[in-house]
Amino acid sequence: MKAMLLSLLFLGAAPSGPAPSSLPPEALGAPPLVDASPTAWSCTIDTLRAGKECVFEAEVLPPKAANADQEAANVKLLKDASRALCSEAVSNARDGIPDPKLVAVCERKYADVVGRCGIEGNTPVVDAKGRFAPAARACYRALSTVLQDVQLMASVASTCCECAARSQCPGTGESCYAAVSRQQAGPTTLACMDDRCHDACSMMLPSSASIPRQAPSRASTQHTDSAAL
């Protein structure tokens, strides 16, 4: 009886239909298929735009002698992307609202970095698939830092600086963005922002009581006293 039960179990476990044929001997020896397209981790303009971590996996020729034409081409390629990247960085941080002054600040900062990104013309800054070359690592990081700084300025300082400029506060213009985002605005500027742009600047202003204010001049005090009489 036990033998019969075991036989039934084995029969029930057996797959139905014919047994699969064995793999052909050449299957395991076939060359692997290679996908040469950029991986999701490649450092590209898109990852620079998004601020993503990435890998420098460009396929470029070994470094050669410095080439002025290649260096100029590297700088031009990155400069051509600057306006789009700066406009997007500002607009995204401001929910689609532009700020031409801050875009100009970004483009100038970006251009200063790009001027040092020619890699001396030794190799293309990106390969044919748009991937940044390993030699461009420092350049890529510097460009990413510019965009991140500008996004911070757009998030915390842009609305405040726009209001301060309209209200004719001192210390406005392009210098306002860095000063406000780093909390380095001068006391006169802070006092004006607190008085005239409190709602727009509240996130970056210290408490009103801690903002130094100029004492009224003697002439204005005398005028106030005379008016009270």
Side-chain angles (χ1 to χ4, degrees), residues 15 38 41 73 75 87 116 118 121-122 146 157-158 178 187 201 203 209 216-217:
W41 294 99
V75 171
S87 296
R116 305 192 298 270
N122 291 327
V146 168
S158 188
C201 301
M203 185 169 64
S217 64

Side-chain angles (χ1 to χ4, degrees), residues 14-70:
S16 59
S21 59
S22 59
L23 291 173
E26 67 273 12
L28 297 178
L33 297 177
V34 178
D35 181 1
S37 61
T39 70
W41 294 99
S42 298
C43 292
T44 63
I45 291 293
D46 286 337
T47 60
L48 181 63
R49 174 186 288 112
K52 294 180 178 178
E53 288 298 322
C54 58
V55 177
F56 295 88
E57 59 177 15
E59 295 175 356
V60 292
L61 297 174
K64 53 186 178 182
N67 183 313
D69 291 339
Q70 181 63 67

Side-chain angles (χ1 to χ4, degrees), residues 147-187:
L147 294 178
Q148 289 173 15
D149 287 347
V150 168
Q151 286 175 327
L152 174 64
M153 292 180 195
S155 299
V156 304
S158 188
T159 303
C160 177
C161 289
E162 285 176 330
C163 178
R166 289 193 303 268
S167 302
Q168 298 183 334
C169 290
T172 56
E174 294 184 357
S175 62
C176 176
Y177 295 97
V180 171
S181 62
R182 296 170 185 166
Q183 297 186 328
Q184 295 176 345

Side-chain angles (χ1 to χ4, degrees), residues 137-151:
R137 182 179 283 104
C139 170
Y140 181 97
R141 297 299 186 197
L143 293 175
S144 180
T145 297
V146 168
L147 294 178
Q148 289 173 15
D149 287 347
V150 168
Q151 286 175 327

